[in-house]
Amino acid sequence: MPGLITTLTPNPTIDLACEAEKVRPIHKIRTTDERHDPGGGGVNVARVVQELGGRALAVVLSGGVTGRFLEELLEEGGVPHRGVPVSGLTRISQTVMETSSGQEYRFVPEGPEVTEDEWKAALTLMEEVEADWMVGSGSLPRGVPEDFHARLAAVAGKRGVPFVLDTSGAALRAAVEAGGIALAKPSLGEFEALVGRKLEEAGDQQRAAVELVRSGKVGILAVTLGRDGAMLATAEGALRLPALPVEAKGAVGAGDSFLAAMTMALSDGRPAAEAFAWGMAAGAAAVSNAGTAHPKRAEVEALRKRIPDASLQEVAA
């Protein structure tokens, strides 16, 4: 049975999603099909793990009336959670699907400023909560140091718990430099920023990914490539899979869904290539459903059957 996957989301959000016929300046934009989801990287991972039949615990930094609403949404969704109180208000993000064009517009606030006592309290809680796998995911709010995820990886390391990372920019660089990451899942753009160069050719991407893994700082690297699918790298080699063709209804939380399914499979002892295929299936299922990270278990299982088993290919340095 998969172990308990405990996630920490330092900058969670309430995700508002809706549709509008056309987004125009100045005019009132009348919306339909509104929905509210608890969001943020680790929150989405925990929600998807639960949907896929796994066990999850979502730890969130939450504040004010919006923080209480966030925790109510988690409660309603049946997601076990622990809140770390912060003085600022939990942010609210909005996604608008323009039906006339099929374009998606995302409005994402920076979130509250978090004090040193508050972010240290989150790390202390992660030293105490039950966890078989630990996930640090999402952006860092103001006031939280760039090495926050590196500190979280150290907490996981002291506990002997595999650590999974999904973040970007300086936070990603600091965590990778510190090492101790069992699985990291950057997008191609985030990976290029990490290595400091453009990787336009598939071969260049694979060599850079395998090089990072062989450095010992990351055990498994999964790089999402948008419409081009995703790439997996381990010390043994690399594997690239195309995106599954599905009707896109929303992309918010697709990467988190990918990460949730892959982490869940790894926690169940599945090989990296098989876990990667489950991640591909969950990401595609999320894209085919509106709202934030709403892959349905039956859809994920059906999509997984459409992915042929594949093996890692050796990559020369």
Side-chain angles (χ1 to χ4, degrees), residues 13-230:
T13 176
I14 296 164
D15 282 340
L16 308 183
C18 63
E19 293 183 356
E21 195 276 329
K22 190 170 182 61
V23 177
R24 298 178 296 171
I26 302 174
H27 296 270
K28 290 181 179 179
I29 309 299
R30 302 293 181 181
T31 62
T32 59
D33 297 325
E34 293 88 359
R35 66 180 306 146
H36 304 74
D37 290 310
V43 167
N44 296 336
V45 170
R47 288 174 50 229
V48 174
V49 167
Q50 289 280 116
E51 167 63 24
L52 298 181
R55 297 189 301 135
L57 172 66
V59 176
V60 294
L61 278 70
S62 61
V65 64
T66 49
R68 292 194 294 275
F69 185 34
L70 171 74
E71 295 196 47
E72 286 179 8
L73 289 171
L74 286 168
E75 189 73 30
E76 289 175 5
V79 180
H81 60 278
R82 294 281 300 273
V84 178
V86 299
S87 54
L89 289 171
T90 294
R91 60 187 177 152
I92 301 175
S93 302
Q94 174 128 27
T95 299
V96 181
M97 173 62 75
E98 186 180 64
T99 56
S100 60
S101 67
Q103 296 293 318
E104 189 175 71
Y105 294 84
R106 302 185 188 182
F107 304 90
V108 183
E110 60 184 349
E113 185 160 4
V114 174
T115 69
E116 181 176 354
D117 286 345
E118 290 166 348
W119 62 258
K120 283 185 173 179
L123 292 176
T124 298
L125 180 59
M126 295 301 284
E127 294 174 354
E128 302 167 353
V129 295
E130 184 183 356
D132 295 308
W133 283 67
M134 199 173 288
V135 179
S137 181
S139 63
L140 299 180
R142 292 172 295 156
V144 175
E146 294 176 350
D147 67 347
F148 181 81
H149 287 301
R151 295 174 188 241
L152 181 58
V155 169
K158 289 178 182 177
R159 298 185 58 179
V161 172
F163 178 68
V164 177
L165 176 68
D166 186 7
T167 190
S168 61
L172 175 60
R173 286 193 298 274
V176 169
E177 183 59 33
I181 302 168
L183 167 65
K185 190 214 69 62
S187 66
L188 177 58
E190 292 163 351
F191 184 50
E192 289 176 329
L194 175 66
V195 300
R197 64 183 188 277
K198 294 292 289 182
L199 300 167
E200 297 180 354
E201 300 295 329
D204 293 337
Q205 295 165 6
Q206 292 176 181
R207 282 187 290 274
V210 171
E211 180 182 356
L212 175 57
V213 172
R214 288 176 179 167
S215 73
K217 296 180 183 300
V218 177
I220 300 171
L221 183 69
V223 181
T224 51
L225 308 171
R227 294 180 179 178
D228 292 328

